[in-house]
Amino acid sequence: MDTQDLMQESRAHICQTYNRFNLAILSGSGCNLWDQEGRQYLDFVAGIAVCNLGHCPPELARVLYEQAQQLVHVSNLYYTEPQAKLAGDLTSVCFADKVFFGNSGAEANEAAIKLARKYSRQRYGLGRYGIITMKDSFHGRTLATLSATGQLKVQEGFEPLVDGFRYVDFDDLDAVAEAIDETICAVLVEPIQGEGGVRIPKANYLAGLRQLCSKHDLLLIYDEIQVGMGRTGRLFSHQHEGVAPDIMTLAKALANGVPIGAMLASSEVAEAFTPGSHASTFGGTPLVTAVAIEVLRQISRQSFLDRVQVVGDYFREQLLSLHQKYSFVREVRGRGLILGMELDFPGGEIVIQCQERGVLINCTAEKVLRFLPPLIVTSEEVDRLIETLDAVFAQI
Ligand SMILES: *Cc1c(COP(=O)(O)O)cnc(C)c1O
């Protein structure tokens, strides 16, 4: 099918919830994608921070193929080895003791919200179920997670929202302190806001949140769905600050594109979940967890993470040189390989211009070009992106 036919077919039969580009992707390898007509693109989106090991790495294809031949699904009525092993591997590389598996970021956050409520109910009784979240945050599209998300455009039309969320400015500890009262049980935050425009809080922010939470016996929940799994040059973004949460959510890159979500918690908190508290048919199937085991093995290697830091620093320097050159570039920010370039004007047209030159980038928060390449990206590929941006900027 050519792109035109495919677009027509999709528009006829798929709910129109997405604003898509006029581009249909047929295949991928490493940091490259090919469209239906065989044109090649350098991919600095990586499925929005999902394909951290690039497209179709052969080792993952092999794991997927071999596991598909052995066992795909049996339900959580039974134990399976890949699920147990992944949970053991995940808890050995972070603060957590226990994991709940789902299929997406939204589901991981749903589990976190339910766990926080249940934990608080057991300790304090009724009425203490509020969760403080941040303005411009993004936590998902289910009713509870869109209610947690501090953006009207995500919520509009779906009211009444799930009760109990209180929104405060990101990176403002005083605002959190002011919002705490006897109804609050938790604080939910992205260590770096992704959809909100690649916003990195001040160095003491997570420590300050930790202090407030400990003082008021609130659970601190990190949404690491976008910035976890090596994206920032550490396995989890909060490890830069060394401030552990009580609950953390993962999804996106955890299985490099095979759908998975995970909610991780300390055992004290996780004990609030008992048989029957929560469940998911597809949560943690042997198929997806076998892939995630291999993803985690590769990404958690120190040499891999060090390389993310080195290439990320190089990338950032190159973006800063464009900042010097073009006065309409307001700011360059980011950490590791999540980088943002804020412009004086909406970035949508720049994204399309780059696509026409064979490079895929993304724009978020209207004016922020967001770069999320596969973590295996090379400095040569970074150079190609920079040359393309330079050429596009020169025409403005
Ligand atoms: C993508 C994302 C989600 C939602 O994940 P889905 O898999 O789309 O449900 C939640 N939080 C953050 C920070 C995200 O980037």
Side-chain angles (χ1 to χ4, degrees):
M1 226 187 267
D2 70 15
T3 298
Q4 284 308 321
D5 290 346
L6 210 162
M7 280 168 54
Q8 224 167 40
E9 186 76 3
S10 298
R11 285 177 181 164
H13 303 299
I14 295 175
C15 281
Q16 294 300 292
T17 60
Y18 302 105
N19 241 329
R20 298 186 207 254
F21 296 102
N22 296 341
L23 177 59
I25 308 291
L26 178 67
S27 63
S29 174
C31 296
N32 294 297
L33 291 169
W34 287 268
D35 69 12
Q36 293 289 119
E37 283 74 27
R39 275 183 296 260
Q40 186 175 338
Y41 299 84
L42 183 61
D43 181 16
F44 272 62
V45 179
I48 313 186
V50 168
C51 303
N52 281 9
L53 294 175
H55 296 285
C56 308
E59 320 85 73
L60 294 188
R62 193 174 318 116
V63 171
L64 198 54
Y65 178 68
E66 282 171 7
Q67 187 60 48
Q69 288 180 309
Q70 185 176 328
L71 188 68
V72 171
H73 174 86
V74 286
S75 102
N76 284 305
L77 291 171
Y78 310 103
Y79 296 99
T80 63
E81 190 173 319
Q83 188 181 105
K85 175 151 183 3
L86 178 60
D89 290 354
L90 279 171
T91 53
S92 76
V93 290
C94 68
F95 73 97
D97 307 299
K98 296 276 167 67
V99 187
F100 176 86
F101 290 112
N103 308 283
S104 65
E107 271 184 86
N109 283 335
E110 283 275 341
I113 292 163
K114 284 181 70 174
L115 180 61
R117 283 189 174 196
K118 192 124 193 301
Y119 176 80
S120 185
R121 171 80 67 95
Q122 282 175 1
R123 277 166 85 97
Y124 295 95
L126 285 171
R128 191 179 182 273
Y129 59 85
I131 299 180
I132 295 171
T133 68
M134 308 307 151
K135 290 178 187 163
D136 300 319
S137 58
F138 184 75
H139 299 298
R141 299 288 195 146
T142 63
L143 262 181
T145 58
L146 74 80
S147 302
T149 294
Q151 295 186 59
L152 281 177
K153 69 169 197 273
V154 170
Q155 301 172 335
E156 247 166 9
F158 302 109
E159 299 88 348
L161 301 182
V162 172
D163 187 26
F165 294 99
R166 197 170 290 177
Y167 318 102
V168 303
D169 282 335
F170 183 62
D171 200 14
D172 183 345
L173 289 170
D174 292 339
V176 175
E178 267 168 46
I180 296 171
D181 62 24
E182 68 289 348
T183 68
I184 300 295
C185 72
V187 174
L188 167 59
V189 65
E190 298 159 84
I192 293 174
Q193 283 194 337
E195 303 304 302
V198 192
R199 292 179 60 204
I200 300 176
K202 289 187 276 296
N204 68 345
Y205 183 57
L206 296 185
L209 289 178
R210 179 74 272 176
Q211 233 166 22
L212 282 170
C213 286
S214 299
K215 182 170 164 203
H216 298 276
D217 197 20
L218 310 178
L219 297 177
L220 180 57
I221 309 171
Y222 292 157
D223 179 339
E224 288 249 14
I225 289 166
Q226 183 162 149
V227 294
M229 297 310 291
R231 177 57 55 187
T232 65
R234 295 282 175 97
L235 186 55
F236 304 116
S237 172
H238 72 269
Q239 292 172 335
H240 288 278
E241 273 80 37
V243 180
D246 302 292
I247 300 175
M248 170 172 78
T249 54
L250 299 175
K252 290 199 163 87
L254 181 52
N256 209 57
V258 179
I260 188 171
M263 187 277 298
L264 297 86
S266 66
S267 46
E268 191 211 332
V269 174
E271 267 164 29
F273 269 0
T274 51
S277 292
H278 198 37
S280 167
T281 294
F282 291 129
T285 65
L287 189 73
V288 303
T289 48
V291 175
I293 289 166
E294 177 61 16
V295 170
L296 183 62
R297 194 184 70 78
Q298 293 196 25
I299 289 184
S300 60
R301 284 202 309 260
Q302 193 55 49
S303 56
F304 183 94
L305 293 168
D306 288 345
R307 217 197 65 92
V308 171
Q309 198 70 68
V310 170
V311 179
D313 287 348
Y314 175 74
F315 191 178
R316 190 194 167 82
E317 276 166 30
Q318 303 311 304
L319 288 172
L320 282 168
S321 67
L322 290 181
H323 180 23
Q324 296 285 313
K325 190 166 170 186
Y326 297 100
S327 60
F328 56 77
V329 176
R330 212 176 273 175
E331 192 180 30
V332 171
R333 51 184 184 253
R335 183 171 269 178
L337 283 168
I338 175 166
L339 290 156
M341 178 181 254
E342 185 165 341
L343 306 176
D344 275 340
F345 48 81
E349 192 52 40
I350 303 284
V351 173
I352 290 171
Q353 296 278 323
C354 286
Q355 182 185 311
E356 283 169 2
R357 293 165 188 261
V359 176
L360 303 187
I361 62 170
N362 169 260
C363 177
T364 189
E366 202 186 347
K367 293 177 180 169
V368 181
L369 301 180
R370 179 174 47 169
F371 308 99
L372 299 161
L375 303 183
I376 58 166
V377 72
T378 63
S379 51
E380 291 75 26
E381 287 164 330
V382 168
D383 289 343
R384 268 173 60 205
L385 174 277
I386 296 292
E387 281 159 24
T388 304
L389 261 187
D390 196 0
V392 169
F393 283 176
Q395 305 220 312
I396 287 168

